[in-house]
Amino acid sequence: MPDQSPPSPTPELFSWEFAANPYPAYAWLREHAPVHRTKLPSGVDAWLVTRYADARRTLADNRLSKNPAHHDEGAHAKGRTGIPGERQADLMTHLLNIDPPDHTRLRRLVSKAFTPRRVAEFAPRVQELTDDLIDRFTANGSGTADLIHDFAFPLPIHAICDLLGVPREDQDDFRDWAGMMIRHGGGPRGGVARSVKKMRGYLAELIHRKREALSAEPAPGEDLISGLIRASDHGEHLTENEAAAMAFILLFAGFETTVNLIGNGTYALLTHPGERERLQRALAAGDRGLLETGVEELLRYDGPVELATWRFATEPVVIGGQRVETGDPVLVVLAAADRDPERFDGPDTLDLARRDNQHLGYGHGIHYCLGAPLARLEGQTALATLLTRLPDLKLAADPDDLRWRGGLIMRGLRTLPVEYSPPPTGQG
């Protein structure tokens, strides 16, 4: 006779224990409540989509808008959805908040300035930044470091600032603002909104200066903000507000995801020594193939973006058999979809050589992450250089003692203490 007992109670979501390891709870939701309505810590009621097939369809469904106007304007204005302070700072017109045709126009304009070729040309600078940061934290000879504070955080912030064209002398200010923005609930009340406002003021001034100094023809390796100013489509230019919002979201979305990719990826390798040694052997043999598939697997296994950004139903929609009403917020749980056993063999196993790996870590559809090539470059460079230069790197804390940052969308460690043998003098 089949078991008639009800499923176990819905697991608690968004607690500190859940943040440390959300995957058992997501497995329960995939099985028992794949499209689940819940109250978020902000007080907003939203639907969580957890199965891969539903997630992929939802990410590409044009009945789900990115524009918060389709939800509750008051909720967004109070920072309960979206990025705190972005409305007050007049930074709403970016790719994460708009739909076609404006999204199509802006993305096409930005894509002209943010190309894979530009990213490839940037590779030597990423390597230089990576080596410089390792040089700095190994210089004290202690053999210890916090890989988040000393490495994973400064690398992408300096890289995206260089790419955008933020002068080197101003980048420490950006680092401070960015640090406040990723603390989420861990900083002073209102700190995120204040940092957003400061960044907005700075970007407006920088865009104005660059517009005044813009040459008639682009110089080789022109920075991204100058490219945004120059970019046009049938004579239609980005407004200064649009350029500021675009620079802001490229910075905001382009650094925290990479902080978490490097942090989560390094942590996964340190806690899976067999896979880590496999990658080190491949790198020592000059084979980067495992590095490329490995970074994709790290994105799938414990990626930097736990939930895709907000979507709002513009009409009644059925997702996974569940009716979602007009105006309802929908959050696709990428971390759950990317461990769906219906899509991935052995989804809870880290396999750096995994080939069939169409993960959703960078989204899907028209909102697929524009900065994915840069994030991949930074992730591959950071991990390969760490494992090559510090071959005996090991975790210097009990995994149970590590803390994960609070926040709805991103998944990342607050700290990652490590130990290593200091390199010989003169070798970094």
Side-chain angles (χ1 to χ4, degrees):
M1 183 174 177
D3 183 6
Q4 297 296 318
S5 60
S8 55
T10 305
E12 184 180 359
L13 305 177
F14 310 118
S15 65
W16 288 112
E17 293 77 14
F18 169 83
N21 182 15
Y23 296 104
Y26 288 150
W28 189 97
L29 289 176
R30 277 196 312 266
E31 182 175 355
H32 299 292
V35 182
H36 175 65
R37 188 172 175 87
T38 190
K39 187 174 289 295
L40 304 174
S42 64
V44 173
D45 289 308
W47 294 97
L48 303 181
V49 180
T50 55
R51 288 180 179 169
Y52 182 92
D54 293 336
R56 190 175 167 91
R57 281 193 294 269
T58 301
L59 290 172
D61 193 329
N62 60 15
R63 296 170 297 175
L64 296 167
S65 170
K66 298 291 289 171
N67 188 339
H70 290 289
H71 182 224
D72 174 358
E73 287 286 335
H76 190 88
K78 294 172 185 174
R80 295 169 70 196
T81 65
I83 300 166
E86 64 179 349
R87 180 183 295 276
Q88 292 89 331
D90 201 14
L91 288 169
M92 292 293 293
T93 53
H94 59 67
L95 292 174
L96 296 185
N97 280 344
I98 56 176
D99 302 316
D102 285 337
H103 178 273
T104 310
R105 175 180 66 88
L106 290 182
R107 186 166 177 123
R108 187 165 58 237
L109 287 169
V110 175
S111 295
K112 293 179 181 179
F114 200 74
T115 62
R117 188 181 77 173
R118 184 187 293 269
V119 171
E121 291 170 348
F122 198 55
R125 177 59 180 153
V126 172
Q127 186 65 62
E128 180 185 358
L129 285 167
T130 301
D131 283 320
D132 180 57
L133 288 167
I134 295 176
D135 289 345
R136 288 189 199 181
F137 74 69
T138 58
N140 63 21
S142 69
T144 63
D146 171 8
L147 278 188
I148 302 298
H149 181 270
D150 297 328
F151 186 66
F153 177 75
L155 174 57
I157 195 69
H158 287 301
I160 196 70
C161 279
D162 278 359
L163 198 66
L164 285 167
V166 176
R168 301 277 168 88
E169 62 268 23
D170 295 343
Q171 291 187 11
D172 284 343
D173 286 338
F174 259 77
R175 179 173 173 165
D176 291 344
W177 298 331
M180 180 60 68
M181 288 161 65
I182 71 168
R183 285 185 199 171
H184 303 297
R189 185 176 179 84
V192 175
R194 283 194 297 274
S195 293
V196 169
K197 186 175 181 180
K198 288 177 182 176
M199 194 174 286
R200 170 64 173 92
Y202 175 84
L203 287 171
E205 180 188 342
L206 182 62
I207 288 168
H208 180 72
R209 292 204 314 262
K210 286 183 179 290
R211 191 185 293 278
E212 291 290 308
L214 204 64
S215 60
E217 294 296 327
E222 182 175 69
D223 67 74
L224 185 51
I225 288 180
S226 296
L228 288 174
I229 296 166
R230 194 184 298 280
S232 62
D233 184 27
H234 303 297
E236 183 178 22
H237 293 263
L238 287 163
T239 67
E240 216 154 274
N241 263 359
E242 288 173 337
M246 196 60 59
F248 167 75
I249 203 60
L250 289 172
L251 179 80
F252 187 82
F255 86 89
E256 189 175 3
T257 51
T258 311
V259 174
N260 295 345
L261 169 57
I262 296 169
N264 298 5
T266 303
Y267 174 68
L269 291 172
L270 295 180
T271 52
H272 293 79
E275 289 300 284
R276 172 258 192 89
E277 289 161 13
R278 183 185 186 189
L279 179 55
Q280 284 179 305
R281 287 195 301 271
L283 292 170
D287 175 11
R288 292 181 65 87
L290 191 64
L291 176 67
E292 292 172 2
T293 59
V295 166
E296 299 309 304
E297 174 69 346
L298 293 168
L299 283 160
R300 182 201 68 81
Y301 180 78
D302 197 11
V305 183
E306 191 165 343
L307 283 76
T309 49
W310 296 84
R311 284 165 169 78
F312 307 96
T314 60
E315 61 183 79
V317 179
V318 176
I319 304 173
Q322 179 68 59
R323 181 182 169 93
V324 174
E325 299 297 343
T326 303
D328 282 358
V330 176
L331 291 165
V332 175
V333 187
L334 305 179
D338 280 342
R339 294 232 193 161
D340 187 342
E342 293 294 315
R343 176 59 186 84
F344 299 100
D345 291 334
D348 295 320
T349 298
L350 181 69
D351 177 7
L352 298 183
R354 189 184 296 269
R355 292 284 178 182
D356 180 17
N357 196 1
Q358 290 185 327
H359 63 77
L360 300 176
Y362 286 126
H364 174 65
I366 64 169
H367 291 282
Y368 183 84
C369 177
L370 194 65
L374 178 61
R376 286 187 168 104
L377 168 66
E378 292 180 54
Q380 291 176 16
T381 304
L383 293 173
T385 309
L386 270 180
L387 294 179
T388 301
R389 290 190 54 182
L390 305 175
D392 65 347
L393 191 71
K394 64 181 180 180
L395 195 60
D398 187 315
D400 291 339
D401 293 334
L402 295 177
R403 290 292 173 264
W404 297 77
R405 282 197 297 271
L408 186 66
I409 302 298
M410 301 291 184
R411 173 167 171 76
L413 286 161
R414 290 175 179 265
T415 61
L416 183 57
V418 294
E419 297 174 347
Y420 55 88
S421 297
T425 303
Q427 295 183 28

